[in-house]
Amino acid sequence: SRARSRGAAGAALLPSMLMFGVILASSGLLLMIERGILAQVGPPPLHPPAGLSRRDGRDSPAELELEVLRDTRNRTIRALCGQRSMPRSVWELPPGQRRTVLRHLLVSDKYRFLYCYVPKVACSNWKRILKVLDGALESVDVQGKMDHKSDLVFLGDMKPEEISYRLKHYYKFIFVRNPMERLLSAYRNKFGEIKEYQQKYGVEIVRRYRKNGGSSAGDDVSFSEFLQYLLDEDVERMNEHWMPIYNLCQPCAVRYDFIGSYERLHADANHVLEHIQSPSFVRFPERQAWYKPVTAETLHYYLCNTQRRLIKELLPKYILDFSLFAYPLPNITSEFCRQ
């Protein structure tokens, strides 16, 4: 009990977004969640940590918050990836993990960059941009279903020496998103709209987790059933739409130059486009009119109407995404859910 008390006291001293201690002490994770400690994690403080200084003394609170967030992400990634057991390059990864990350790294030789695409983090729009930059698509606004394979160059299709050269010399970036929000987006899209996913995954999920569910067409999977499926699934065998970002893009084996976020999508996308010196007519596409975004209220509703046990047991599978990319763990306390 004394050890548990010390763990709880230590957790209270964690910086509001710096979750590296959670990674190293995952045995205390569920205890902290149970006691609601991590549910109270909020945005980063509006003052720079040690080592950061205002450039002109007139930075806005939003700019300072963003600076703190990026500094936190960089420090946490350096701390984790500096561990002796972590991979230093893609060649140190097991074959299956190496295939996954190389299959998700898209190449632009003309503009010398690598982009690790993450499904449900605006990757379709980034693929449109790559096609426009390569001349395979006239405009990012061209209507029609996105072909996620044609007219794109994947790093995994290259020879080892070509892969190593690009990993060393090209600008590398990735876009991330709150893990639970990304999962909810995948659930609503794939099981609410895509028949292929309903038949391939939905039918099996209902059959496995629902009594007398054999007659389901896979279009009525509940969010709880989906989370239970993820809990039982091997991370390395997951579909890319719900595989953790860490496993898809391996930020220790690939040292990304820029980590953009879904929450600042257009501003961060413009930063990347400016850095790679893309033509002025290339811009990040606007959100489609039919798209239904996951709002904070929607996420709140789903999480608070899901068994707390499921969420607490699932979090360790996505803890690296929460901690490395500085996202607070979901607040599922009774008090919050009563609001």
Side-chain angles (χ1 to χ4, degrees), residues 26 29-30 33 311-320:
S26 58
L29 172 64
L30 296 182
I33 298 171
I311 298 173
K312 290 192 291 186
E313 292 179 3
L314 184 64
L315 286 179
K317 277 195 171 180
Y318 293 88
I319 193 61
L320 288 175

Side-chain angles (χ1 to χ4, degrees), residues 162-325:
E162 296 173 330
I163 293 172
S164 294
Y165 177 84
R166 286 161 177 78
L167 285 170
K168 182 177 180 179
H169 296 286
Y170 281 19
Y171 180 71
K172 299 173 287 293
F173 68 93
I174 178 180
F175 274 71
V176 299
R177 186 178 187 179
N178 180 296
M180 292 306 298
E181 184 179 304
R182 177 173 170 250
L183 288 181
L184 179 56
S185 178
Y187 162 76
R188 296 208 307 174
N189 172 239
K190 300 308 174 186
F191 299 107
E193 302 172 3
I194 312 297
K195 193 168 185 179
E196 176 189 351
Y197 276 77
Q198 295 168 357
Q199 294 175 340
K200 183 175 181 179
Y201 295 98
V203 171
E204 172 61 20
I205 290 173
V206 173
R207 184 198 64 79
R208 191 187 300 183
Y209 300 112
R210 189 185 306 171
K211 290 182 179 179
N212 304 318
S215 60
S216 171
D219 58 352
D220 60 343
V221 177
S222 71
F223 190 57
S224 293
E225 290 169 337
F226 175 57
L227 295 189
Q228 184 64 58
Y229 166 73
L230 297 180
L231 186 59
D232 295 339
E233 187 78 350
D234 179 4
V235 169
E236 297 297 333
R237 297 170 61 88
M238 283 183 175
N239 180 279
E240 64 177 8
H241 288 84
W242 41 81
M243 181 181 283
I245 297 174
Y246 179 88
N247 299 80
L248 288 173
C249 295
Q250 295 290 343
C252 289
V254 179
R255 301 302 174 91
Y256 293 97
D257 299 291
F258 183 75
I259 300 176
S261 65
Y262 189 82
E263 295 76 20
R264 284 179 43 88
L265 185 55
H266 278 80
D268 285 351
N270 288 335
H271 171 86
V272 171
L273 292 174
E274 181 178 345
H275 183 90
I276 64 173
Q277 298 182 338
S278 69
S280 58
F281 68 86
V282 177
R283 56 175 177 73
F284 198 79
E286 295 297 326
R287 180 178 290 163
Q288 299 291 328
W290 49 263
Y291 181 73
K292 299 177 182 177
V294 174
T295 65
E297 291 76 18
T298 307
L299 183 61
H300 181 187
Y301 172 84
Y302 274 92
L303 293 180
C304 288
N305 284 280
T306 300
Q307 287 180 299
R308 199 172 303 173
R309 172 193 64 82
L310 274 179
I311 298 173
K312 290 192 291 186
E313 292 179 3
L314 184 64
L315 286 179
K317 277 195 171 180
Y318 293 88
I319 193 61
L320 288 175
D321 285 3
F322 280 106
S323 44
L324 288 183
F325 306 127

Side-chain angles (χ1 to χ4, degrees), residues 118 125 149 154 206 285 312:
V118 178
N125 282 338
K149 297 294 182 183
F154 296 84
V206 173
K312 290 192 291 186

